Each structure stands twice: as C-alpha cells, then as structure tokens.
Amino acid sequence: MRVLGVDCGGEYTGYGVVEMHPAGKLRCLGCGAIKLSPREALPRRLSRIYTQLGAVIAEYQPDEVAIEDVFYALNVKSALKLGQVRGVAMLAAAAAGLEVSEYSPLTIKSSVVGYGRAEKHQVQLMVTRLLELPAPPEPLDASDALAIAICHLHTATTHQRQRAVGR
Amino acid sequence: MRVLGVDCGGEYTGYGVVEMHPAGKLRCLGCGAIKLSPREALPRRLSRIYTQLGAVIAEYQPDEVAIEDVFYALNVKSALKLGQVRGVAMLAAAAAGLEVSEYSPLTIKSSVVGYGRAEKHQVQLMVTRLLELPAPPEPLDASDALAIAICHLHTATTHQRQRAVGR
C-alpha cells in the first residue's frame, strides 16, 4: 500500500509518499514542499497547489491520501487560510479518485513518536529513523507530510489485522 | 461587463450572474445554489462545487468573479469549513483564467442596500428591485451571490469613471 501524506500550510504545503511492504517495512518514495509566494494572487496560489499535488499523484500513483485535521488551536484568520489550501488538496485527491483520511495532530504524533505532544524536530527524527533515510527530510513540512502518511499506514494495517482476526 | 458572484457556505453555495449594460442597467442572467449533502465525503462535496461552478462559468462566460470575504464573526470550525469551499471556488475561477475580487459583507450590503448591517431579506428585496426580477431569487444564498456580483459591478464602474476623469 502506498500513501500520500499532505501537510497543508499557508506558506508551505508539504507532501510525502510512503509505501508499506508486506513484511511491514516502510519506504519513502519521495517528499518535498510546495512553496507559495505571498505576492501572488490567492487564486493563482491555490491553482499552483492543485496542479503540483496533481503532478505528485500522477508521478507516485498513491493508493490513498492522508491529511492533517486542523480544527485545533488556530484563530479564525489562519483557519480560513488553511481551509482554502485543504479544500484544494482534497480536490486534487478526489480528482484522482483517491480516498482521503484525516488525522488529528495528536494521533499523528502518537503514531510516529509515541507521544502526542512531540515537537516538530522529534517528529522529523523519528520519520528519518522509521524510513531509514540518509538525512532528515527538509523542510519540516515535508517531514510532517511523511509522518501523516506513516500514521495512515499504521492505522490502516491495524484495521486490516483486526479484520483478519474477525473483530 | 458580466460578473459571477459566489456566496460560499457549508451547506449551500450560491451563485448569480449579473451583466451591466453601457447605460448602467443591470440584468440577471441566472442564479441558483449548489446544495451539498452532509452525508457525502468532504472531498466529493468539494469536487461537486468545483464541477458545478465550472459548468456555471462555461454556460454564462463571465468576465470576472466576485466572492465574499469572510474573515468576520466566525468560529475556527466554520472558518475552516468555509475556507475549504472558498478555496475550491477560487480554483474554479482560476482554472477559467478569471480574476477574483473579494468584498466584505459590510461593503456588499452598503453597495446594494445602502446600509452595511442590512438583513438577508432586505438584501433579497433590493436585489429583486435592482435586477427587476419577477420574484425574489431563492434560496437566500442565490440572492446573496447576486448582491456580491452587483457590488463588484458598482465598484468596477466607479473605478472606471474615476480613471475616465483622470483621478
């Protein structure tokens, strides 16, 4: 199973593609971040995210998409900004016929670091170890996106195992 | 000049197309609302808005798009929801190569009713009069979208007149 994780942000939108092999081994296929210029008009910025995420999906052919749920600790202004980016990211997934799963920051951090209040650099460290990367993924938005993908793979395989034992 | 106004909402997204003739007369070319089922998955709902707004743009061929700016009086949860819809609406405009202008609710109401704190049904009444409609546009989301389009036409023609007198 191959998952695209997307970390939506006002300035950077991170993405990361992780594959889980039958034995449970995780492999990073690619990651990066789409940088948006605040000088560009908003519709053009959103258009850029949509096109670039579409290109990532076309290149890596993920089976599913996972995205951070961001109901938390934001003010109205940043929630609106983030919502715009999220809407477009979800649309890119829907355009490719992919299911989207949402995870809270707490769930993502718990799944990757084992501690829901972990800092971004702790997430980056664990992502580097779990994926056996030669260097920490940069920028932090890319490592966050990989963490979201790993969280979804952990969750999906747990569900599969539960189904397998008839629960 | 022909303008598509879009009123983004969590449940209904209204749209309205208004044309201004050289003598300043306004004409409604069409309006309506895209209803979203809360039972559908969010990416599918966003996909529906994108497709239907794209169809409206293809049918009415507006020159520009106007949208309500919603930084105001919302909580984080509804701002995020609205942001998602707005992002997709802006993307539909950008995909058609159209410029998007944003107006605050206060500006829209002032422009249409002459009073920034007007109620929705007052907006509906004035929209009906200004466009000489046989009946009030329904639902209210459609009349709000027409109001946004009228506001943009008023603003754009004021700018044109200012340019014409060299200010």
Side-chain angles (χ1 to χ4, degrees):
Chain A
M1 186 178 175
R2 192 178 285 187
V3 174
L4 166 64
V6 181
D7 180 56
C8 296
E11 203 183 340
Y12 287 93
T13 288
Y15 63 86
V17 185
V18 180
E19 194 170 58
M20 184 179 263
H21 291 247
K25 193 173 160 59
L26 297 169
R27 194 164 70 100
C28 171
L29 299 181
C31 70
I34 304 163
K35 182 168 171 26
L36 299 182
S37 160
R39 283 192 302 269
E40 255 186 331
L42 179 58
R44 199 151 309 172
R45 271 183 276 164
L46 295 173
S47 193
R48 193 182 296 279
I49 293 178
Y50 184 69
T51 309
Q52 294 198 20
L53 279 182
V56 167
I57 290 171
E59 183 179 350
Y60 294 103
Q61 301 279 329
D63 302 305
E64 289 184 22
V65 175
I67 195 166
E68 195 178 57
D69 196 353
V70 280
F71 277 103
Y72 318 88
L74 287 164
N75 59 44
V76 166
K77 197 172 163 176
S78 61
L80 192 71
K81 268 194 184 172
L82 246 148
Q84 289 166 174
V85 175
R86 277 188 108 227
V88 165
M90 286 191 168
L91 192 69
L98 301 177
E99 292 265 332
V100 180
S101 301
E102 300 177 57
Y103 296 96
S104 73
L106 198 88
T107 306
I108 296 163
K109 288 171 179 175
S110 298
S111 172
V112 173
V113 185
Y115 170 57
R117 309 223 168 274
E119 298 292 330
K120 274 185 183 286
H121 69 265
Q122 291 177 285
V123 172
Q124 192 186 37
L125 192 72
M126 278 307 292
V127 163
T128 311
R129 279 193 204 163
L130 286 168
L131 299 175
E132 300 176 7
L133 298 173
E138 291 282 357
L140 281 169
D141 315 78
S143 97
D144 279 349
L146 289 169
I148 296 165
I150 293 169
C151 172
H152 181 61
L153 284 164
H154 283 168
T155 310
T157 47
T158 305
H159 286 169
Q160 273 175 356
R161 245 180 270 129
Q162 285 173 346
R163 274 198 297 274
V165 297
R167 291 175 67 187
Chain B
M1 185 178 176
R2 194 178 284 187
V3 174
L4 165 64
V6 182
D7 180 56
C8 295
E11 203 183 341
Y12 286 93
T13 288
Y15 63 87
V17 185
V18 180
E19 195 170 57
M20 184 178 262
H21 292 248
K25 195 173 157 60
L26 296 169
R27 193 163 71 100
C28 170
L29 300 181
C31 70
I34 303 162
K35 183 170 171 23
L36 299 182
S37 160
R39 282 192 304 269
E40 256 185 330
L42 179 57
R44 199 151 309 171
R45 272 182 276 163
L46 295 172
S47 194
R48 194 181 294 280
I49 294 178
Y50 183 71
T51 309
Q52 294 197 22
L53 279 182
V56 167
I57 290 171
E59 184 179 349
Y60 294 103
Q61 302 278 329
D63 302 304
E64 290 184 22
V65 174
I67 195 166
E68 195 178 56
D69 197 354
V70 280
F71 277 104
Y72 317 89
L74 287 164
N75 59 45
V76 165
K77 197 172 163 176
S78 62
L80 192 71
K81 267 193 184 174
L82 247 147
Q84 287 165 177
V85 176
R86 277 189 107 228
V88 165
M90 287 190 165
L91 191 70
L98 301 177
E99 292 265 332
V100 180
S101 300
E102 300 178 56
Y103 296 96
S104 73
L106 198 89
T107 306
I108 296 163
K109 288 172 179 176
S110 299
S111 171
V112 173
V113 184
Y115 169 57
R117 308 221 170 274
E119 297 293 330
K120 272 185 184 287
H121 68 267
Q122 292 177 286
V123 172
Q124 193 186 36
L125 193 72
M126 279 308 293
V127 163
T128 311
R129 280 193 201 163
L130 287 168
L131 299 175
E132 300 177 7
L133 297 173
E138 293 281 359
L140 282 169
D141 315 77
S143 96
D144 280 349
L146 289 169
I148 296 166
I150 293 170
C151 171
H152 182 61
L153 283 163
H154 283 167
T155 310
T157 46
T158 306
H159 286 170
Q160 272 175 358
R161 245 181 270 131
Q162 285 173 347
R163 273 198 299 273
V165 298
R167 290 176 68 185

